[in-house]
């Protein structure tokens, strides 16, 4: 048979032959830099036996694909170490990820001390350098192997493999795992690894299944790459909003209040208030929205009309027993049904549309406890929610306007480069999840596809991520740990107006069903606060800072002048404090820096006599002496324009 290697050469080999033997005979040096191969776009193990003419691409050391193979093998080394130390642990899955690997075990939660012991055992295994062997087995043989090893999760995985599909196992030392591969040829290629965390996860990501103990780690081809990555991890820990937010006293959580119910402290509440007032004024005064205020809960009847009760009930907080109580209530997970009744309160003509309703809505969703994280995944949150009731001929224009508003908001906050756009579609193979007919879904998805294409917005398409009543554009961002969350959404709804008997009178006097856009302009305020905290590492743009200026008198003799300066700034609408502590000025400056204050105004006898302030900033260090009025004019302009000043090398 003829094997084409990496577009370089064609070699004739006897069949069948493992890829490793073919490469070894062709170029041993090339083999030493090769981790796996690619056939028809699929990465395969070098131990794979070829039986027909094949074109091979090579996965070389240093490529992302090679790193993934290495990390997959590191997961197996870790699993072997766990088996040596904790033989009663049952194994589930252990894949490579974008940043490392994990393995889930049916076992008690692991401690950091456990991780140290596992790392030590992994080093011993790697030093020993066991041979990794790949073997193709029959379904019956695979079942027999893992029955003997008493590994029930592996048996469940085997049962899920379609009939006729290849089953492979990998063995090193006394450890055998069900695995599709590929794996590295020599475990000594793992030059640097680290177990980074322990957590819990549900089997098959289903909260109704067993809770598992997860160990997360990472691995590299060199110790230097590992050290760089660990430095990066330390940096992102320092940017984690959970850490910064608590240090800056933006928010806190309390066990007796409940998980996913954060308390915004005065500084965090001030940032959210600033964002909220901006968005409300923006929507109402510049984008033509009408503000509503609706109840936080309602009877189950309301949600039954829309279908939320059938499709979303597990995510709702229900008050009462549906089987016993005459009336059952639920805290609202969204505002749309309420605003529909605002629309229905009076008859509408085609001339009245579009009706753009907006509300700063507090919502409640019964998130799984394992999903809770700081401010990004909570059970009570506030959102810039809006619903546009439009004529079908207005839909495309209004949908574009909603996207334009979100773009403006993102650009103002400096977040426009941190997002990805997704067309979230229905899953035609899961009809129970959705209402409406297939042709409606196909048409509405195509409308959104055309809009995004026309606006030159790059996007991906995600099947099964649509709302039960319509497709949507999800604008997503990743947190410092790489987890992706939806920050803003714009949804196309051609169905719920039928559920709620909504209509307007057209120019012919006929009743016509409107279409609806569900949208947010800034999304969830709590999640946005988390996003901004991580983006700026707590050094927010001046207009958002809960404390924009701190006046620092050099001595107690200047206390009165410092207070006078503070009062001038307060009257101008600037958020300011005066540090009257009996501390040295250097200490006060360091404190203000640690508190991430944008501006410090140092005042001494000379400044007091001249009616001036010595300006120091986060952005440029020493900005010189200015009159108080000049500084006020400067900072008010920065606040009004929502300028995002870049931090330069401090001018001392």
């Amino acid at each position: 048979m003829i094997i084409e290697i990496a577009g370089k050469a064609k070699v004739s080999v006897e069949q069948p032959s493992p890829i490793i033997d073919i490469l070894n005979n062709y170029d041993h040096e090339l083999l030493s830099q090769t981790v796996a191969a690619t056939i028809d776009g699929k990465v395969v193990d070098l131990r794979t036996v070829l039986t027909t003419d094949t074109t091979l691409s090579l996965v070389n050391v240093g490529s992302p694909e090679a790193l993934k193979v290495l990390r997959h093998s590191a997961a197996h080394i870790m699993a072997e170490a766990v088996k040596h130390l904790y033989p009663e642990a049952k194994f589930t899955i252990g894949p490579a990820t974008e940043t490392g690997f994990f393995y889930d075990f049916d076992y008690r939660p692991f401690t950091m001390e456990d991780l140290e012991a596992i790392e030590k055992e992994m080093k011993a295994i790697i030093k020993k350098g066991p041979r990794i062997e790949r073997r193709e087995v029959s379904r019956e043989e695979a079942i027999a192997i893992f029955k003997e090893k008493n590994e029930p999760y592996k048996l469940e995985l085997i049962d899920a493999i379609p009939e006729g599909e290849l089953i492979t196992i990998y063995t090193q030392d006394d450890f055998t795992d069900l695995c599709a591969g590929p794996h590295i040829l020599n475990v000594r290629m793992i030059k640097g690894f680290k177990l980074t965390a322990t957590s819990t996860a549900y089997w098959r990501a289903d909260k109704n299944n067993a809770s598992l103990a997860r160990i997360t780690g990472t691995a590299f081809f060199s110790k230097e790459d590992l050290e760089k990555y660990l430095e990066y991890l330390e940096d992102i820990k320092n940017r984690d909003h959970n850490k910064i937010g608590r240090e800056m006293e933006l928010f806190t959580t309390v066990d007796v209040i409940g998980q996913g119910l954060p308390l915004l402290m005065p500084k965090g509440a001030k940032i959210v208030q600033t964002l909220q007032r901006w968005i409300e004024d923006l929507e109402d005064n510049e984008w033509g929205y009408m503000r509503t205020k609706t109840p936080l809960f309602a009877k189950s009847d309301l949600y039954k009309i829309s279908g939320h009760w059938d499709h979303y009930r597990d995510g709702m907080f229900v008050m009462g027993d549906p089987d016993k109580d005459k009336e059952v209530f639920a805290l609202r997970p969204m505002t749309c049904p309420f605003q529909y009744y605002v629309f229905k309160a009076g008859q509408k003509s085609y001339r009245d549309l579009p009706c753009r309703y907006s509300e700063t809505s507090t919502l409640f969703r019964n998130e799984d406890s394992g999903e809770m994280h700081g401010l990004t995944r909570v059970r009570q949150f506030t959102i810039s929610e809006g619903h546009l009731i439009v004529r079908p001929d207005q839909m495309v224009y209004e949908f574009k306007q909603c996207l334009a508003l979100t773009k403006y908001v993102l650009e103002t906050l400096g977040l426009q480069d941190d997002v990805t756009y997704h067309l979230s579609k229905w899953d035609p193979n899961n009809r129970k999840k959705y209402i409406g007919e297939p042709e409606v879904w196909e048409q509405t998805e195509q409308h959104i596809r055309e809009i995004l294409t026309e606006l030159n917005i790059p996007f991906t398409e995600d099947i099964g991520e649509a709302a039960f009543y319509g497709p949507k554009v999800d604008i997503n961002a990743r947190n410092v740990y790489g987890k992706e969350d939806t920050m803003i959404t714009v949804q196309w709804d051609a169905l719920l107006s039928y559920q709620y008997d909504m209509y307007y009178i057209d120019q012919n006097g006929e009743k016509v069903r409107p279409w609806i856009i569900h949208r947010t302009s800034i999304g969830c305020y709590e999640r946005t606060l988390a996003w901004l905290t991580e983006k700026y590492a707590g050094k927010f743009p001046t207009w958002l800072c809960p404390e924009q200026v701190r006046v620092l008198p050099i001595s107690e003799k200047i206390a009165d002048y410092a207070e006078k300066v503070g009062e001038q700034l307060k009257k101008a609408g600037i958020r300011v404090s005066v540090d009257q502590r009996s501390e040295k000025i250097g200490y006060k400056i360091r404190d203000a820096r640690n508190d991430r204050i944008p501006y410090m105004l140092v005042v001494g006898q000379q400044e007091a006599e001249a009616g001036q302030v010595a300006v120091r900033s986060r952005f440029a260090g020493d900005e010189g002496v200015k009159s108080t009025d000049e500084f006020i004019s400067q900072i008010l302009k920065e606040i009004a324009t929502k300028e995002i000043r870049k931090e330069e090398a401090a001018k001392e």
Side-chain angles (χ1 to χ4, degrees), residues 192-208:
F193 73 90
K194 181 70 178 175
L195 302 185
T196 54
T198 177
S199 59
T200 58
Y202 292 113
W203 172 234
R204 296 187 180 276
D206 186 338
K207 64 181 180 181
N208 297 313

Side-chain angles (χ1 to χ4, degrees), residues 15 40 76 99 127 141 182 208 245 247 254 285 288 296 334 350 382 393 409 425 427 436 446 507 545 593 606 609:
Q15 58 179 349
D40 296 329
H76 277 224
T99 57
K127 184 176 181 181
E141 188 177 359
N208 297 313
E247 288 175 352
V254 183
N285 300 334
L296 298 180
M334 66 287 296
Y350 69 96
T382 301
D393 64 287
V409 168
K425 307 189 297 183
D427 182 355
Q446 181 59 21
Q507 55 268 50
C545 284
R593 282 176 175 167
Q606 187 174 344
E609 291 173 356

Side-chain angles (χ1 to χ4, degrees), residues 391-461:
R391 302 192 310 262
D393 64 287
Q394 297 170 326
M395 188 70 164
V396 169
Y397 173 78
E398 292 296 332
F399 202 93
K400 289 179 182 177
Q401 286 296 96
C402 290
L403 290 174
L405 174 56
T406 64
K407 181 183 178 185
Y408 174 77
V409 168
L410 289 170
E411 288 176 345
T412 303
L413 295 173
L415 300 171
Q416 69 276 12
D417 296 329
D418 302 331
V419 299
T420 55
Y421 288 77
H422 301 255
L423 167 50
S424 295
K425 307 189 297 183
W426 80 316
D427 182 355
N429 296 317
N430 187 8
R431 291 289 283 117
K432 290 183 179 180
K433 183 180 175 182
Y434 306 96
I435 62 174
E437 298 304 317
E439 55 269 24
V440 175
W441 285 91
E442 290 166 9
Q443 290 168 6
T444 52
E445 288 174 359
Q446 181 59 21
H447 281 306
I448 296 177
R449 190 178 291 112
E450 290 172 356
I451 288 170
L452 292 172
T453 302
E454 180 186 337
L455 296 175
N456 294 317
I457 298 174
F459 66 96
T460 57
E461 299 192 11

Side-chain angles (χ1 to χ4, degrees), residues 517-528:
I517 300 173
H518 308 240
R519 49 101 275 179
T520 57
S521 52
I522 196 174
C524 165
Y525 285 102
E526 289 84 355
R527 187 173 286 181
T528 301

Side-chain angles (χ1 to χ4, degrees), residues 363-407:
L363 305 178
F364 307 85
R365 296 186 183 174
N366 192 10
E367 299 280 6
D368 180 62
S369 60
E371 294 294 319
M372 298 297 105
H373 178 70
L375 296 176
T376 59
R377 186 72 68 172
V378 293
R379 287 176 168 148
Q380 175 184 310
F381 55 94
T382 301
I383 194 168
S384 60
E385 195 166 17
H387 298 89
L388 292 79
I389 319 299
V390 305
R391 302 192 310 262
D393 64 287
Q394 297 170 326
M395 188 70 164
V396 169
Y397 173 78
E398 292 296 332
F399 202 93
K400 289 179 182 177
Q401 286 296 96
C402 290
L403 290 174
L405 174 56
T406 64
K407 181 183 178 185

Side-chain angles (χ1 to χ4, degrees), residues 300 309 313 317-330:
S300 59
W309 193 254
R313 182 177 164 187
F317 289 101
V318 177
M319 297 175 282
D321 186 339
D323 297 324
K324 296 179 181 179
D325 298 333
K326 184 177 180 180
E327 287 189 329
V328 174
F329 291 83

